[in-house]
Amino acid sequence: EDLKEAKAQGKTLKQIRAAKVGVGAPVVVEEEEESVPAVSEAEAEATVAALKLKLGEGAVEGLIKAGTGLERVPLVQLMERARSYYRRAALPQLVADFRSLELSPMDGRTLTDFMHTRGLNMRSLGEVARRAEDLKHVKWACAGEMVTRALKWLTRCLLAQTPTER
């Protein structure tokens, strides 16, 4: 059922924003409908070739089989649509689910699992913490995970600079 829903989501941004993502009530963002632009066959082939380089053969074949027409959208516009969906639908939906208590991260591990399950990057922790300002447990989990990841990064840098004895 989720796969059928995901295939239908590629047709317009309005459908994507109104679709239910994961659990909880959908977050609907009002905005004009965007359809797949008309492009020449040569432009479409160039976009498909670029997508195959970036995403891999299997992912592009799946996109084509879905019948959304998104493989014909210029790469720059496709990236902008993905960013817009991420910012306007995916992150607000996650926070809405935290707010409804359908998901409740108690530590960095569960927060990471919730985000990765939904395909969200951990670099969005600051945005999740900002949007969940009134949810202290989520804000603390985000802050703890950010500190942990920063310390891990610093430790790796320090260890990389340490001379090794042979």
Side-chain angles (χ1 to χ4, degrees):
E1 182 182 321
D2 290 337
L3 183 58
K4 289 178 185 175
E5 189 175 319
K7 288 180 180 178
Q9 289 177 350
K11 294 189 179 168
T12 65
L13 285 177
K14 191 171 188 177
Q15 290 171 336
I16 291 172
R17 291 186 184 115
K20 184 178 179 181
V21 179
V23 295
V27 174
V28 179
V29 178
E30 293 297 325
E31 196 171 302
E32 66 280 354
E33 199 171 291
E34 293 183 36
S35 60
V36 177
V39 294
S40 71
E41 197 61 38
E43 289 174 321
E45 287 177 15
T47 299
V48 169
L51 282 173
K52 285 181 181 178
L53 285 174
K54 300 245 182 227
L55 302 176
E57 190 87 27
V60 176
E61 293 303 319
L63 186 62
I64 293 169
K65 285 180 185 175
T68 60
L70 287 175
E71 73 278 0
R72 300 179 64 84
V73 175
L75 199 53
V76 173
Q77 188 179 3
L78 190 61
M79 293 301 294
E80 184 51 43
R81 285 184 181 191
R83 277 189 217 101
S84 178
Y85 171 76
Y86 192 85
R87 187 177 56 251
R88 295 177 185 267
L91 286 176
Q93 182 65 50
L94 178 71
V95 175
D97 287 342
F98 289 159
R99 203 165 267 121
S100 72
L101 299 177
E102 291 201 35
L103 298 177
S104 187
M106 292 300 159
D107 60 3
R109 183 75 239 151
T110 56
L111 177 65
T112 301
D113 290 344
F114 289 150
M115 290 182 71
H116 285 166
T117 299
R118 291 165 171 249
L120 301 175
N121 294 320
M122 295 309 290
R123 65 175 164 247
S124 301
L125 278 171
E127 183 65 18
V128 171
R130 187 187 66 76
R131 289 174 185 254
E133 186 73 32
D134 56 324
L135 302 170
K136 296 297 180 201
H137 69 288
V138 175
K139 193 172 178 182
W140 277 98
C142 288
E145 190 63 20
M146 285 186 273
V147 168
T148 301
R149 288 171 178 270
L151 285 173
K152 184 170 100 175
W153 185 83
L154 288 171
T155 303
R156 283 185 179 164
C157 287
L158 288 172
L159 289 175
Q161 294 176 358
T162 304
T164 58
E165 292 185 30
R166 293 183 191 228

